[in-house]
Amino acid sequence: MSTKTDPTTAPAAPTPAELGVGMRFSIHPHTDDFVGVILGALADAEAAGLTDGLAIRTDEVSTYVGATTVPAEQRLAAYLAAVVAAASRRSGGGHVVAHVLLSRGCPGEVTCDLGVTGLPGAAAVELEPTGIRAVAHWSLYPLLDGGSDAGDHMTHIEAAIARATARGVASPAHYATKLVGDVAEVLATAVDAWAEVGAVVPHVVTHLTVSVGSPSRATN
Amino acid sequence: MSTKTDPTTAPAAPTPAELGVGMRFSIHPHTDDFVGVILGALADAEAAGLTDGLAIRTDEVSTYVGATTVPAEQRLAAYLAAVVAAASRRSGGGHVVAHVLLSRGCPGEVTCDLGVTGLPGAAAVELEPTGIRAVAHWSLYPLLDGGSDAGDHMTHIEAAIARATARGVASPAHYATKLVGDVAEVLATAVDAWAEVGAVVPHVVTHLTVSVGSPSRATN
């Protein structure tokens, strides 16, 4: 995978599928026509060509999206931003919430037998602004093992929050960090933080509850 | 707090507030009348006396619920089950999704300065069945530090999944465990697992996406 090292001596970087880079998300239009909005938004993102390199499977609770090719983080973020923006448009700017779980380092369903050497970094994702304001609660979980040399979990979390704060979108809340900004910037902040921790911690998960069009805004 | 030890020599068990035992949840009725359903469900749970011992604060994205008195886990689970059941009833059995984050071990907003000695266990929660079928995706995050002696994070997760499977409600999925059963049993499974890990791991979080009344059921 790398042109900088001799492939006969250096192990290839693990693929997104080998690392288990992917997400689960659910999208909740608060309207009687939620089925039409959800199915329409998923179809819009597919029609825009944003499902390339992704394995997508929807079940009763959420949609699983596994990245099969690089750039995995960019593909996941662009697809997610498109689905959220499409759902907002299709509900006429109404209240839509997405819940997202991004995971890397646990490719199987139960165990986490990575069997890879080396954790690849990822370029920061680049998303076009959607023009839609989002407010989100974001949590990041570096899943260390006792006895590892990757430090304390809170050190990684605090560094990620500091980077998000420097982007101008973050403020603290209990059990989460509040992110406010364009849907694209909110998603990019969480995806970048997750990928950055993933370059040093083998198993890292982040959760994000993204709200657009909330009628509560005026009172908070 | 304990009658078994001499209070002059043994440190008191930390209170739920000192441990930071609490949750954030959001509830998503997929109906035009979502504001009425949400506010009504919160009012129903309060009218039933289920907010005793809880500090509750709703913002633009979700509702924070901190437990102030024991039994913390029982209070959180009973309140949550009542809100979900009330939202389902008030939407006429329509599609309602709740997203829940349960946390213990991080009482502040950013840092996790516990300052307590000893991790209290918790009795299994006891909830009346709601009569409402739920399907959920559940994830558990034991947040260990490198260098701790609390083992590997996956060992704790796999043991929790095994216990949930023995209760008859769990099956594996990517990045989550699927739980199916009465709302009360699904919530009790996740809350008990979280509290059990919390008796040995200082900081543990669990996430749960709970769906009731989904029209997708017939096709999955």
Side-chain angles (χ1 to χ4, degrees):
Chain A
M1 304 287 284
S2 168
T3 58
K4 294 178 184 168
T5 52
D6 178 352
T8 62
T9 57
T15 66
E18 286 170 339
L19 264 180
V21 180
M23 65 183 174
R24 275 195 175 278
F25 76 97
S26 53
I27 190 146
H28 308 293
H30 293 67
T31 166
D32 292 349
D33 185 32
F34 66 97
V35 173
V37 171
I38 295 170
L39 296 180
L42 296 174
D44 290 348
E46 185 168 3
L50 293 170
T51 56
D52 294 348
L54 301 175
I56 301 175
R57 199 161 59 236
T58 297
D59 66 22
E60 188 176 348
V61 179
S62 66
T63 295
Y64 163 78
V65 186
T68 55
T69 58
V70 293
E73 295 77 10
Q74 176 68 31
R75 292 185 192 283
L76 293 168
Y79 177 68
L80 188 58
V83 172
V84 173
S88 175
R89 278 194 308 270
R90 283 179 171 269
S91 66
H95 185 35
V96 176
V97 172
H99 188 77
V100 190
L101 175 173
L102 288 144
S103 180
R104 60 190 285 148
C106 206
E109 290 196 339
V110 176
T111 60
C112 288
D113 187 9
L114 265 182
V116 298
T117 53
L119 294 173
V125 302
E126 296 185 9
L127 302 177
E128 289 291 319
T130 63
I132 302 165
R133 173 191 183 269
V135 54
H137 283 167
W138 166 54
S139 303
L140 178 65
Y141 305 115
L143 292 159
L144 301 173
D145 290 323
S148 79
D149 58 1
D152 291 346
H153 73 283
M154 285 306 299
T155 306
H156 296 288
I157 293 172
E158 288 165 18
I161 292 173
R163 289 191 296 268
T165 303
R167 290 173 83 145
V169 296
S171 60
H174 274 293
Y175 312 145
T177 296
K178 184 178 179 181
L179 304 178
V180 180
D182 187 278
V183 166
E185 178 61 10
V186 164
L187 295 180
T189 298
V191 171
D192 286 349
W194 164 69
E196 284 165 7
V197 174
V200 284
V201 177
H203 187 193
V204 55
V205 178
T206 199
H207 278 256
L208 196 63
T209 300
V210 185
S211 171
V212 302
S214 169
S216 308
R217 183 182 178 185
T219 60
N220 282 279
Chain B
M1 304 288 286
S2 168
T3 57
K4 294 176 185 169
T5 53
D6 178 352
T8 62
T9 57
T15 66
E18 286 169 340
L19 264 180
V21 180
M23 66 183 173
R24 275 196 175 278
F25 76 97
S26 53
I27 189 146
H28 309 293
H30 293 66
T31 166
D32 292 349
D33 184 33
F34 65 96
V35 173
V37 171
I38 294 170
L39 296 180
L42 296 174
D44 289 348
E46 184 168 2
L50 293 170
T51 55
D52 294 348
L54 301 175
I56 301 175
R57 199 161 62 236
T58 296
D59 66 22
E60 189 176 348
V61 179
S62 66
T63 295
Y64 163 79
V65 186
T68 55
T69 57
V70 293
E73 294 77 11
Q74 176 69 30
R75 291 184 193 282
L76 294 168
Y79 177 67
L80 189 57
V83 172
V84 172
S88 176
R89 278 195 306 270
R90 283 178 171 269
S91 66
H95 185 35
V96 176
V97 173
H99 188 76
V100 189
L101 175 173
L102 289 144
S103 179
R104 60 191 285 148
C106 205
E109 289 196 341
V110 176
T111 61
C112 288
D113 187 10
L114 265 181
V116 299
T117 52
L119 295 172
V125 304
E126 295 185 9
L127 302 177
E128 288 293 317
T130 64
I132 302 166
R133 173 192 182 266
V135 53
H137 283 167
W138 167 54
S139 302
L140 179 66
Y141 305 116
L143 293 159
L144 300 172
D145 291 324
S148 78
D149 59 0
D152 292 345
H153 72 284
M154 287 305 300
T155 306
H156 295 289
I157 294 172
E158 289 164 18
I161 293 173
R163 288 191 295 267
T165 303
R167 290 173 83 144
V169 297
S171 60
H174 275 293
Y175 313 146
T177 296
K178 183 178 179 181
L179 304 178
V180 179
D182 188 280
V183 166
E185 178 61 10
V186 164
L187 295 179
T189 298
V191 170
D192 285 350
W194 163 71
E196 284 165 7
V197 174
V200 283
V201 177
H203 188 194
V204 55
V205 179
T206 199
H207 278 257
L208 196 64
T209 301
V210 184
S211 171
V212 302
S214 170
S216 308
R217 182 184 178 185
T219 61
N220 281 279

